[in-house]
Structures are given as C-alpha cells and as structure tokens.
Amino acid sequence: MHFDAIIIGAGQAGPSLAGRLTSAGMSVAIIERHLFGGTCVNTGCKPTKTLVASAYAAHLARRGADYGVMIDAPLRIDMAKVKARADKVIHDSRTGVESWLRDMDKCTVINGHARFESADTIRVGDELLTAPRIFLNVGGRAVVPDMPGVNDVNYLTNTGILQLDRVPKHLVVIGGSYIGLEFAQMYRRFGAEVTVVEKGSHLVSREDAEISEAIRDILLAEGIHIRTNAECITFKRHPDGVAVGVDCTEGAPEIIGSDVLLAVGRRPNTDDLGLDKAGVAVDARGYIKVDDGLATNVPGIFAMGDCNGRGAFTHTAYNDFEIIAANLLDGASRRVSDRLPGYALFIDPPLGRVGMTLTQAKATGRKLLIGNRPMTRVGRAVEKGETAGMMQVVVDAETKKILGAAILGTGGDEAIHGILDIMNAGADYTQLQWAVPIHPTVSELIPTLLNEMK
C-alpha cells in the first residue's frame, strides 16, 4: 500500500501531525503497536498527575486542623478507588486519541509492530507500506540499570507501579530525580514508608544546589528517608520483599523494602525498528540523530518526541510536531534550537523551571542580576498555609534579557509561564518589571522580584 506519509507511533506528536497532513490533502498511515496516546496518556502525565491530586487531597485532609477543619475519623486511603480514578483518566484520553484517528478522513490506522524494510518501506506483519515521508514517534521506556541482583528480585518501573491497587509497606525508590521523587512523595502521602536512594550527592542533579536542597527539605519534612552518595546499589530477595544494599557515606548499609521502584532514567524505543535497513543514524544511547528541523540523516525520514533525544517531555514532543508541520506545510523555517527549555517537577509544592540555571548562567561569564525570594514572603503562599520553597530569577545585566528562572512553591508550575512568555517574546525584563499583576497571586511577586535584583 502506498501513502503520502507514514507515521510510526501514536504518542503526542504523531496524531497531531496526522491531522495536519490529512487536512492538507495527504493520505496518511499511522501505525501503533500498543496503546494510543503514548507515554503521557498511558504511563506519564495523565495517570501520575491524577495520582498526585489524590495524594494532595490526602495530605490536605491530614492538615485539616491547620485550617480549622476538624476531621474526627481516622483518614483511610482506598487505593483501589484511587487507581480506578487514574485508570478512567487514562481510558478516556486513550480512546479519545484512537477515535479521533479512526474517524480522520484520509487516515488509515494500523495496529502492529512497524519495521523498516528500506528507507521508504515499512513492514507491519505481512503487509508492506511505502511513502516518500516517514515520521518516527516511537517514544521511550524505563531503563533497568545494570546493578548487582536487579534481575533476581521483583521490581517496579513507572509503568508497573501504576498497576498497584495497594499501598506498599515500604517503597524504596532508586533514583532521586523527577519521576522518582513524584512517586516517592505520592506514596508517602498514601501512607507508605518511603526511602529514596540516589547515587549522586544531590537530588535532581541538573538543578542548582540551592534548589536541590530546598526540594530535599520539603521531602524530609514529610518523613521521606533520603540516601544520597549511594555509590554501590545491590538487590537480593528478602522474606519481607527486597533487601537493597547501599554504600553511602552515612546510614545503614541495607534497606529492607516491600517494593522497589526503579527510576534511574529512560531509553528510546528504537532498538527493534530495523533502523539499520533504512540507514538511519543513532547515537551511542540509541537516540535517533536529527538536525535542527528534526530530519534524520536519511532524506524523507524525521524523528519526533522522546526517541530523538531533543526533549523528554510531552510539550517538547508536541513542539516537534509543530516545527515539522510548519516547515513542511507553511513554508516556515522553525528550529529546535530556538526552543526555550522549560519544565516542571510535580512534587508538592511544584518546581517550575525555564531557561538557564544559575550555575549555567554563571558559567557564561556574563554580568548577572539575581533575584531571590523565599515563599514565606509570598502572600498567596502564606494565605494558603503552603510556604515551602523559593523563587529565583537570573538576568543578563547588560542585555536586560531574562536568562532563566525557577519557582519552587505553590503554583510554581503555573506562575513560571509569566517569565517563560516574556522570554519567548524576546522582551527585556523591564517589560515585566512594571507590570500590574492580579492580587493575591504567586505571579504578582515576579515584578517585585525583578525590582529587588542585585
């Protein structure tokens, strides 16, 4: 069968691209071998943020007395109901994506495992499909680290843990970064004992030490155990679950957990696509190499989303689609390198980040203006009784451009967009400095912060 375009993978970028291409009159085949919607819908944003919301409700209920709301009966977590709520969100989103594609004019939906036969030919079972343009949107999966004994024990990844309809007695999280910390706090709030084991000296190592330590303090305050500098991590079976050996500078050398979550990174789903038959180049970790327009080294083949190593978020995958569609259909010349790095860590309170960290900005040698404010001095945070965290912004003193910002605090994942929008517009920080924001909000402190920079 011949098409104008073939899309492999129905994650965040693939379906939207199918919509643009078919609207332009092209015939499109979209191939999905497992679940429509990709990581975000099935094992990422949708279910985890639904669970985070349930965990927040439990946390707030426990704090009821702080607000004058007295809950006399002991708090009880119905984990089966919590899971059912997340499952419904997944199901509704997944079926929505699939129905949209199946009802799309000029779009042929194929279930199966796609493999390259050549640069313009894809095999799905016994069927051969050809197209002059092929778009890869195959996503990624959890890394299972090569640690002693890991294959001798039962472990969970971000996918498997979503199937739990119970609260672990003691959850040991291997990996102190974004995914691991979200699950750590979530299950602590559901009632589990939780220990986070991190090989590095700090949690979320890509963040500045000040931000990392503030995150650590938030988690410690909720009773989460944190073991950093874990140079050697081992696993072995134990009558109570799993014995995790840790070689840390302090603390016991062994942790007994009922369950273990591996959250040490992701890898691309590129190892079984037959990329070699098409001549598509990958890097040492398996990520598909792309240029600034997301084209591979083979003419007519593009890679979007997690599999290209140019972003590991739903919003960057969607932006990949926007770049490709604009360049192919609108005569634009958009580039990945123009994209501002922005993301969030969805613990509570969340961290919203955009642009450079303070460490990165200092490394450029520029003269900087830096603004800092603890959330204890943010009226909205005080009113909500949620004063953990801090705000920080970094500005180039000569160009007056904002280089980066971090808001770790209540509403930080939303408030950061005020800075992100100014940066995207290429405006000087002075355009935001004299803004008249809404009161009372977290965002209203951004102009104040800019006025206080030193």
Side-chain angles (χ1 to χ4, degrees):
M1 298 176 64
H2 182 76
F3 297 89
D4 294 319
I6 295 172
I7 301 170
I8 302 176
Q12 285 302 300
S16 295
L17 182 60
R20 280 297 315 268
L21 295 178
T22 55
S23 294
M26 297 185 190
S27 60
V28 175
I30 185 163
I31 306 164
E32 175 55 57
R33 65 172 162 177
H34 192 31
L35 301 174
F36 288 80
T39 297
C40 175
V41 165
N42 294 287
T43 60
C45 314
K46 290 288 186 179
T48 59
K49 278 44 181 185
T50 304
L51 293 172
V52 164
S54 292
Y56 178 71
H59 179 65
L60 206 57
R62 291 189 184 97
R63 292 191 60 207
D66 294 346
Y67 301 91
V69 179
M70 313 311 292
I71 301 174
D72 297 325
L75 187 69
R76 183 176 64 88
I77 302 295
D78 185 342
M79 200 62 202
K81 191 170 183 179
V82 169
K83 179 180 181 298
R85 180 172 173 268
D87 288 345
K88 185 179 186 305
V89 170
I90 294 171
H91 177 268
D92 291 350
S93 297
R94 181 194 302 154
T95 54
V97 172
E98 185 172 0
S99 297
W100 175 41
L101 289 169
R102 292 193 184 279
D103 293 341
M104 191 180 292
D105 187 41
K106 300 183 74 65
C107 180
T108 300
V109 176
I110 299 172
N111 295 98
H113 185 170
R115 294 181 176 87
F116 279 95
E117 289 284 310
S118 67
D120 65 353
T121 304
I122 299 294
R123 176 180 291 279
V124 183
D126 296 329
E127 195 168 13
L128 292 178
L129 317 175
T130 61
R133 291 193 180 102
I134 298 174
F135 303 91
L136 305 176
N137 180 217
V138 295
R141 62 189 187 274
V143 167
V144 176
D146 185 19
M147 294 176 175
V150 69
N151 294 317
D152 299 329
V153 300
N154 294 322
Y155 58 79
L156 300 165
T157 65
N158 69 296
T159 300
I161 198 169
L162 296 177
Q163 303 307 311
L164 290 184
D165 59 1
R166 59 178 174 82
V167 177
K169 182 178 179 181
H170 184 179
L171 178 65
V172 181
V173 179
I174 309 300
S177 195
Y178 305 94
I179 294 174
L181 296 188
E182 287 179 23
F183 278 111
Q185 186 187 52
M186 179 196 307
Y187 275 93
R188 178 59 184 158
R189 291 181 167 187
F190 288 148
E193 182 179 357
V194 176
T195 299
V196 175
V197 179
E198 166 58 40
K199 293 183 71 173
S201 59
H202 294 89
L203 300 177
V204 282
S205 58
R206 71 187 291 177
E207 305 298 342
D208 290 317
E210 187 177 14
I211 298 293
S212 174
E213 286 305 304
I215 291 170
R216 183 186 183 111
D217 290 343
I218 289 167
L219 299 177
L220 287 173
E222 294 196 25
I224 295 171
H225 310 295
I226 297 174
R227 303 288 299 276
T228 50
N229 293 302
E231 293 297 327
C232 180
I233 302 172
T234 63
F235 305 88
K236 64 182 179 181
R237 295 179 184 176
H238 188 276
D240 293 327
V242 180
V244 181
V246 290
D247 182 10
C248 298
T249 53
E250 58 182 22
E254 191 172 71
I255 305 164
I256 308 302
S258 60
D259 299 83
V260 170
L261 171 65
L262 302 180
V264 297
R266 306 279 291 172
R267 60 176 294 186
N269 294 326
T270 57
D271 48 320
D272 57 0
L273 295 177
L275 294 176
D276 54 328
K277 291 187 177 181
V280 174
V282 298
D283 67 14
R285 296 188 297 163
Y287 289 99
I288 298 170
K289 295 182 179 180
V290 293
D291 64 15
D292 226 8
L294 299 164
T296 71
N297 62 304
V298 179
I301 301 179
F302 299 78
M304 311 176 291
D306 294 4
C307 68
N308 65 24
R310 302 295 291 271
F313 306 102
T314 295
H315 53 277
T316 53
Y318 188 82
N319 184 238
D320 284 355
F321 140 68
E322 293 178 313
I323 291 170
I324 288 175
N327 293 349
L328 288 179
L329 302 175
D330 303 332
S333 56
R334 294 179 63 173
R335 303 177 300 176
V336 178
S337 59
D338 292 332
R339 181 162 65 206
L340 275 174
Y343 53 88
L345 165 63
F346 290 96
I347 60 167
D348 173 42
L351 167 68
R353 283 279 297 109
V354 64
M356 295 181 185
T357 64
L358 178 57
T359 301
Q360 291 169 335
K362 286 180 175 179
T364 68
R366 308 182 201 195
K367 183 179 179 181
L368 303 176
L369 294 173
I370 303 167
N372 287 288
R373 176 173 281 248
M375 295 302 287
T376 52
R377 293 178 56 214
V378 176
R380 184 64 172 150
V382 173
E383 293 151 9
K384 293 179 70 177
E386 299 177 357
T387 55
M390 58 177 289
M391 306 172 71
Q392 184 180 81
V393 64
V394 184
V395 170
D396 186 314
E398 295 181 358
T399 67
K400 300 188 186 312
K401 302 295 184 184
I402 298 176
L403 299 178
I407 303 178
L408 172 64
T410 181
D413 52 335
E414 296 288 349
I416 196 68
H417 284 83
I419 297 176
L420 189 152
D421 291 342
I422 285 289
M423 293 176 68
N424 271 317
D428 294 352
Y429 81 89
T430 53
Q431 298 297 307
L432 187 57
Q433 188 178 22
W434 307 118
V436 182
I438 296 170
H439 174 80
T441 61
V442 173
S443 298
E444 72 176 314
L445 269 298
I446 295 173
T448 302
L449 193 63
L450 294 172
N451 282 317
E452 294 176 347
M453 290 187 303
K454 297 178 181 178

